[in-house]
Amino acid sequence: MLKTTVTLEQIAQEAGVSKQTVANVLNRTNKENWGSTARRAAKIREVATRLGYQPNGAAKAVRSGRFGCVGLLVSTKENSSTLPQEVWQGICDDLLEHNLHLTLFRMPDDELLDPNRMPKILREWMADGMIVDYTHDVPQGLYDVIESSALPAVYVNTDREFDCVKPDDFDAGYRATKLLVDMGHCQVLYADFHNIMVEGKTHYSAWERLAGYKRAMIDSHLDPSVIDGGGEGPRKAIAETLNGGAPPTAVVCYGDLDAEYFVLAAAYAGLLIPRDLSIVTFGAKSCRFGGSEYSHFTIPEYEMGRRACAILRSKIASGMEQHTVESLPFGFVTGETVAVVQKKVK
């Protein structure tokens, strides 16, 4: 049996008030400064709930010009859009708290950049704004197309001059290096085997973490040293480094996969971690290998999702006003892979 739609007239008759009063209460446009008006509003809401009233979302959207919807724009190209679980959770939690829903929007780059097709799609999308998740290999012209659409947008985990929320990778690289230097390490190496350092193709975090490392070394009056494996591959490059004349006592790794190479190489070389070699890396809240927790700086993924939504809600409310870039600080997990340099007894 189909459920009968409950109307404002039915609620008004049951509550003993006018239809307009019911509409004002349910649309939250009435003033409830007095005790009598507050009690009347509470009664109207109780009657509406008891009768099973469901507001007409389409009609509300027409009246307000808002759909209560946020779009999430991602690429269909492999590895162009990376959305960790924590970022996704942050987005969902914020939207739920503000009674908004999410629409996932995936389309090929050629359609996205089509100036004739894109505006039509955005109109049919019926979203008040969008979160853009293009983190790698961003197609040329993407930003111009989105900005010309006149739909409020916020970008996550990408390098932009405005309307962007991202982790502060430079600060994390700097702090990771200073942590080791302050423990007495003077031979601190930086390792990144998984990023091909090509401008425009490599995720900005690779450049910023490396820049933070170099700045910390220079500020500490130490010489930076970088290893990327080159054409020989990481295993051979690490083996040659650890067996060289002045091997590092510590290494800052771009990510946990880079750190794994050093864990394995240290084991082959008979080195103990962290007694002989300290390792700091960057990753999610839990970053483990071989049963041990890496000492690592944690990417603020959940906060990134929430802040992206907060900024987007502000842009939707205020129009297309640009927001400055928000760089979120990393957390830190002490882990088991760093130690103070032990002075050798003569």
Side-chain angles (χ1 to χ4, degrees):
M1 182 178 179
L2 295 176
K3 186 176 180 179
T4 304
T5 301
V6 177
T7 65
L8 297 182
E9 289 87 348
Q10 290 174 300
I11 299 173
Q13 184 177 4
E14 181 78 14
V17 297
S18 69
K19 174 184 174 182
Q20 186 60 52
T21 298
V22 172
N24 291 341
V25 169
L26 297 183
N27 291 329
R28 300 184 183 276
T29 59
N30 65 308
K31 295 182 178 179
E32 301 177 17
N33 300 329
W34 300 93
S36 58
T37 56
R39 288 191 294 272
R40 182 181 64 188
K43 180 179 180 181
I44 291 172
R45 295 189 185 102
E46 182 277 325
V47 171
T49 300
R50 175 160 47 82
L51 295 180
Y53 172 74
Q54 295 291 333
N56 187 322
K60 184 178 179 181
V62 170
R63 290 193 303 270
S64 66
R66 303 274 174 81
F67 298 97
C69 173
V70 167
L72 177 62
L73 177 63
V74 299
S75 175
T76 58
K77 186 188 298 183
E78 185 178 4
N79 298 325
S80 284
S81 297
T82 57
L83 192 69
Q85 177 67 29
E86 287 286 321
V87 177
W88 174 262
Q89 189 65 51
I91 292 173
C92 291
D93 284 355
D94 182 271
L95 296 182
L96 180 62
E97 290 177 11
H98 293 87
N99 197 31
L100 300 170
H101 63 277
L102 185 71
T103 295
L104 181 64
F105 190 39
R106 295 178 70 247
M107 62 186 305
D109 290 350
D110 57 343
E111 292 188 24
L112 179 64
L113 299 177
D114 186 339
N116 297 317
R117 179 165 170 73
M118 183 62 177
K120 180 176 183 295
I121 292 174
L122 290 175
R123 286 194 301 269
E124 295 173 350
W125 196 6
M126 293 190 298
D128 300 317
M130 62 180 162
I131 296 173
V132 182
D133 180 49
Y134 268 74
T135 55
H136 296 73
D137 198 15
V138 180
Q140 187 175 5
L142 172 69
Y143 299 146
D144 293 337
V145 169
I146 292 175
E147 287 164 20
S148 66
S149 72
L151 190 68
V154 174
Y155 301 78
V156 292
N157 200 17
T158 192
D159 194 22
R160 292 270 295 160
E161 296 180 356
F162 54 88
D163 293 338
C164 173
V165 180
K166 64 178 185 176
D168 194 341
D169 289 278
F170 178 90
D171 178 69
Y174 189 95
R175 289 164 57 200
T177 308
K178 285 293 291 181
L179 171 72
L180 296 170
V181 171
D182 291 345
M183 287 182 164
H185 295 278
C186 296
Q187 301 288 337
V188 182
L189 181 69
Y190 186 88
D192 184 351
F193 303 112
H194 294 87
N195 286 295
I196 301 174
M197 302 297 274
V198 178
E199 195 73 47
K201 296 293 184 180
T202 305
H203 191 254
Y204 75 93
S205 61
W207 299 94
E208 293 199 358
R209 290 177 196 175
L210 175 58
Y213 157 80
K214 289 182 176 180
R215 174 49 55 191
M217 292 292 284
I218 293 171
D219 287 351
S220 303
H221 307 289
L222 299 172
D223 294 328
S225 180
V226 180
I227 180 174
D228 61 10
E232 301 296 329
R235 292 186 179 180
K236 183 175 181 180
I238 294 173
E240 292 176 351
T241 300
L242 294 181
N243 295 320
T249 60
V251 58
V252 176
C253 295
Y254 171 82
D256 56 348
L257 294 178
D258 305 291
E260 286 182 14
Y261 284 119
F262 275 91
V263 171
L264 294 172
Y268 282 118
L271 303 177
L272 294 179
I273 296 174
R275 187 196 69 182
D276 303 315
L277 181 68
S278 289
I279 298 176
V280 175
T281 188
F282 310 88
K285 288 183 178 179
S286 180
C287 193
R288 308 180 67 86
F289 179 72
S292 298
E293 183 85 22
Y294 285 118
S295 301
H296 68 285
F297 285 79
T298 58
I299 303 171
E301 295 173 344
Y302 181 79
E303 294 81 2
M304 186 162 49
R306 291 196 67 108
R307 284 304 302 155
C309 288
I311 293 175
L312 184 58
R313 287 188 285 101
S314 176
K315 286 178 65 66
I316 292 171
S318 63
M320 295 297 289
E321 180 182 352
Q322 291 181 350
H323 284 250
T324 58
V325 174
E326 285 204 22
S327 296
L328 305 178
F330 281 58
F332 179 64
V333 174
T334 303
E336 306 168 65
T337 58
V338 295
V340 174
V341 172
Q342 298 296 319
K343 293 183 179 180
K344 295 182 179 180
V345 180
K346 294 183 180 179

